[in-house]
Amino acid sequence: MKQIEAIVANVNDLNDGEMRQVSVGEINILLSRIDGKFYAVSAHCTHDGAPLADGVLSGDHVVCPWHSACFDVTTGDQQEPPGLDSLARYEVRIAGENVIISVPEQTTGLQSPAMAQFNPSVDGRTFVILGAGAAGIHAAETLRVTGYQGRIVMITQEDQLPYERTKLSKDYFTGKISSKEMPLRSPDFFQEHAIEVLLNHQVEQVETTNKAIAFTNGDSLTYDTLLVATGGKPRQLDIPGADLQNIFTFRSFADADRILTAIKQKGQAVVIGSSFIGMETAAGLSQHGLQVTVISPDSVPFKKILGEEIGKIFQQVHEENGVSFKFGRKAVEFAGNGKVEAVVLDNGERLQADIVIIGVGVQPATDFLQGVELHPKDGSVVVDEYLCAGDGIYAAGDIARYPDWRTSESIRVEHWRVAAQQGRIAAHNMAGKAVKFRGIPFFWTMQFKFSLRYIGHAQSWDEMIVDGDLQKQQFVAFYIKNNQVLAVATSDQDTEAAAISELMRLNQMPTGEELRHGAVDWIHKQPQISSKR
């Protein structure tokens, strides 16, 4: 393949531990200097195309500023999701004081990780993955990356190949991307790497003693090792009229398409619940031209997760875009003749509704499991630090209740990136390694033009320290308990979010007391982290 090259920098332009974006022709490249040596990889994250130069460089890896994916800048290898591909790596040479990079003329900027070939004569085992979401797809690919050559079967009740669920409400529902852009991998990819994907398969029972799976269509399958990654199922409302048409939950691709079909006539929409899916759906419905009302028993959105001050910002942003709220209220009845026409509240108020979206959370989809310890509170699967739930069975994603290495609390986190992280770790352990899960939870939301990123996990906090301006939607908010920073929420502070994610991973976050003497200045002063924008 034809190569093109260019002088991109002087050797004195970068100190050790620094990076910058350069270009060879029209090809953007991330140039970094580690221990006196220069390295070049593609400049944009393989997940959503974020400019990695706006992230942070920590040791030999870069943290993406948008969603905290991590890549080794010396090899391009992806180390943390989201995203499945690695960065392309380019040749660097030094001529005098010039740094010269050579790149293929037709580079895509991506490289797929090397994967083992299926060879049942070498490994006759069958590994089954229940669920084709974030945990499922990352586990399947990681198994091949680790060198596993046995059979892999990934099973989903949906009729779609794995896709990024977060993009349903954030992008697909609002028309930013098409259905063709949703799949994470092509059918050819799964065939090439011998990853069997069984669509439209509903599990009836998993009998862990015999390592057998029964499906509702009468099929059955045995396994040697099982990963349960079935995610959550939307909670329903058991109230009169719940069987009327045009009442939806929003969890799957099919849900999104049904809602998009129903809203073609515009009209009045009622969203029940101020959860993230509820609020993102409210924003999407408003952008489609519907009049939207959100019903919530809370006093402000996200108060339990983000606090009242930030919750009010979300409320304000929605109200500025025409969304109205009924706080402190519950729906007690759906009224209509065949189709929903109104929602009746607990105070007797009647809201006109042409469509209703129920967004009151999810519950772990685990009722088919036998012989596995389920948590009495929510039916989640109790796992250890290796995500193991028992002999030959692992769990990852929304259904997994695991020990938080930072606090020793038993937690369950419903974040897409956490599911991807856990899928990778579970695969390593299924393949015979002993890798503890030490991921840092992370999620993001975009509602109208207000973007927020959240790093860590705080079930409660004593104090919130805010650096920046909440009303300008430019801030870093630290959630502190017993002088420890448990979580951080940021808006319009992408580099800071990446640095905080890395500092949490390294267990180097400052204490609450230290933050009171300057909340953000320390981020770029940590010796293990440097950033050159």
Side-chain angles (χ1 to χ4, degrees):
M1 183 179 296
K2 183 178 179 181
Q3 300 279 316
I4 56 176
E5 67 176 25
I7 298 172
V8 297
N10 184 281
V11 292
N12 298 312
D13 288 344
L14 291 181
N15 295 318
D16 271 346
E18 291 185 341
M19 63 181 177
R20 67 167 50 172
Q21 183 171 311
V22 297
S23 61
V24 175
E26 297 182 355
I27 301 169
N28 294 324
I29 296 166
L30 184 71
L31 177 69
S32 58
R33 182 172 179 171
I34 310 294
D35 294 332
K37 187 175 181 179
F38 288 89
Y39 298 92
V41 294
S42 45
H44 296 279
C45 180
T46 60
H47 172 234
D48 257 354
L52 293 173
D54 287 348
V56 295
L57 185 61
S58 175
D60 59 5
H61 73 260
V62 61
V63 184
C64 173
W66 289 1
H67 306 127
S68 292
C70 297
F71 302 90
D72 186 325
V73 295
T74 68
T75 63
D77 292 343
Q78 187 191 52
Q79 298 176 322
E80 287 278 354
L84 292 164
D85 288 312
S86 296
L87 303 171
R89 183 189 177 197
Y90 305 118
E91 180 183 342
V92 182
R93 63 185 178 89
I94 307 299
E97 292 190 343
N98 292 326
V99 180
I100 301 172
I101 297 178
S102 177
V103 301
E105 192 173 36
Q106 302 298 323
T107 181
T108 64
L110 309 175
Q111 63 172 339
S112 295
M115 298 187 185
Q117 295 296 311
F118 173 53
N119 190 339
S121 63
V122 173
D123 193 330
R125 294 175 296 172
T126 296
F127 286 1
V128 173
I129 300 168
L130 291 182
I137 180 63
H138 280 82
E141 293 200 18
T142 302
L143 283 171
R144 287 287 183 243
V145 171
T146 63
Y148 172 68
Q149 293 182 275
R151 185 186 182 196
I152 299 175
V153 185
M154 183 164 54
I155 300 164
T156 175
Q157 63 183 6
E158 296 192 48
D159 62 357
Q160 303 282 339
L161 289 174
Y163 58 89
E164 186 171 334
R165 193 178 304 279
T166 61
K167 291 189 175 182
L168 281 176
S169 57
K170 292 177 174 68
D171 299 311
Y172 178 66
F173 188 62
T174 55
K176 294 178 183 177
I177 62 176
S178 69
S179 59
K180 294 180 180 179
E181 298 172 271
M182 287 292 290
L184 293 169
R185 294 297 195 192
S186 68
D188 290 343
F189 175 90
F190 294 107
Q191 183 174 357
E192 177 184 353
H193 297 289
I195 299 172
E196 301 174 45
V197 183
L198 302 184
L199 305 177
N200 300 306
H201 273 62
Q202 177 75 45
V203 177
E204 183 174 50
Q205 180 178 296
V206 172
E207 217 306 302
T208 57
T209 302
N210 299 322
K211 295 188 173 183
I213 304 170
F215 300 96
T216 56
N217 64 1
D219 291 346
S220 62
L221 181 67
T222 58
Y223 63 86
D224 292 284
T225 303
L226 173 68
L227 172 62
V228 185
T230 42
K233 53 184 179 182
R235 298 183 186 277
Q236 304 287 346
L237 290 184
D238 185 16
I239 61 176
D243 58 347
L244 291 171
Q245 294 181 30
N246 282 6
I247 298 174
F248 303 98
T249 56
F250 194 168
R251 180 71 178 175
S252 68
F253 215 126
D255 292 336
D257 285 339
R258 282 192 288 264
I259 295 170
L260 288 170
T261 299
I263 64 176
K264 289 180 179 179
Q265 303 302 317
K266 310 300 181 185
Q268 303 285 331
V270 172
V271 176
I272 299 176
S274 54
S275 63
F276 280 99
I277 188 61
M279 292 288 283
E280 288 181 357
T281 305
L285 291 169
S286 178
Q287 291 168 338
H288 277 288
L290 284 79
Q291 296 296 313
V292 183
T293 301
V294 177
I295 301 169
S296 174
D298 301 323
S299 60
V300 66
F302 314 132
K303 182 177 179 179
K304 294 179 181 179
I305 301 173
L306 301 173
E308 186 170 357
E309 294 173 279
I310 295 178
K312 284 183 175 179
I313 297 175
F314 279 97
Q315 178 184 345
Q316 178 183 332
V317 168
H318 276 256
E319 289 176 339
E320 289 172 351
N321 286 275
V323 177
S324 60
F325 291 88
K326 298 289 182 181
F327 289 118
R329 299 268 69 95
K330 294 182 179 180
V332 296
E333 182 183 354
F334 298 123
N337 184 17
K339 291 184 179 180
V340 67
E341 297 172 5
V343 179
V344 182
L345 306 185
D346 53 359
N347 64 351
E349 186 176 1
R350 188 181 180 95
L351 302 178
Q352 181 182 342
D354 300 296
I355 183 173
V356 172
I357 309 296
I358 299 173
V360 293
V362 300
Q363 61 190 57
T366 58
D367 50 2
F368 54 83
L369 287 172
Q370 292 189 1
V372 176
E373 181 186 358
L374 301 181
H375 195 275
K377 178 182 177 180
D378 57 12
S380 55
V381 180
V382 179
V383 298
D384 62 17
E385 57 193 346
Y386 301 96
L387 305 178
C388 182
D391 180 27
I393 184 167
Y394 295 80
D398 291 3
I399 67 167
R401 182 170 292 275
Y402 65 95
D404 183 353
W405 66 270
R406 298 182 67 224
T407 65
S408 298
E409 295 178 326
S410 176
I411 64 174
R412 185 174 71 85
V413 177
E414 298 173 358
H415 302 337
W416 193 85
R417 180 175 180 265
V418 171
Q421 291 173 301
Q422 291 183 342
R424 290 164 62 107
I425 297 301
H428 283 297
N429 291 319
M430 293 167 71
K433 297 183 179 180
V435 183
K436 296 180 181 180
F437 179 68
R438 290 174 59 90
I440 299 297
F442 175 92
F443 74 82
W444 67 96
T445 186
M446 170 70 81
Q447 298 176 31
F448 297 105
K449 294 184 179 181
F450 181 29
S451 175
L452 181 132
R453 314 202 192 295
Y454 182 95
I455 309 110
H457 181 78
Q459 299 187 100
S460 63
W461 60 89
D462 303 323
E463 179 184 10
M464 183 174 76
I465 295 177
V466 177
D467 183 272
D469 192 319
L470 292 177
Q471 287 305 312
K472 289 183 179 179
Q473 300 168 23
Q474 297 175 329
F475 61 83
V476 180
F478 301 86
Y479 299 85
I480 300 164
K481 187 172 184 178
N482 298 328
N483 206 34
Q484 181 185 9
V485 177
L486 298 180
V488 181
T490 74
S491 181
D492 196 25
Q493 302 288 332
D494 291 350
T495 301
E496 288 75 7
I500 289 163
S501 176
E502 180 65 2
L503 287 166
M504 281 193 185
R505 186 188 72 83
L506 296 171
N507 203 24
Q508 293 181 2
M509 283 293 291
T511 64
E513 182 64 29
E514 290 170 332
L515 285 173
R516 294 184 194 98
H517 295 92
V520 177
D521 291 344
W522 49 266
I523 290 180
H524 296 305
K525 297 179 181 178
Q526 297 297 311
Q528 279 78 16
I529 298 179
S530 74
S531 171
K532 187 177 183 67
R533 302 182 69 177

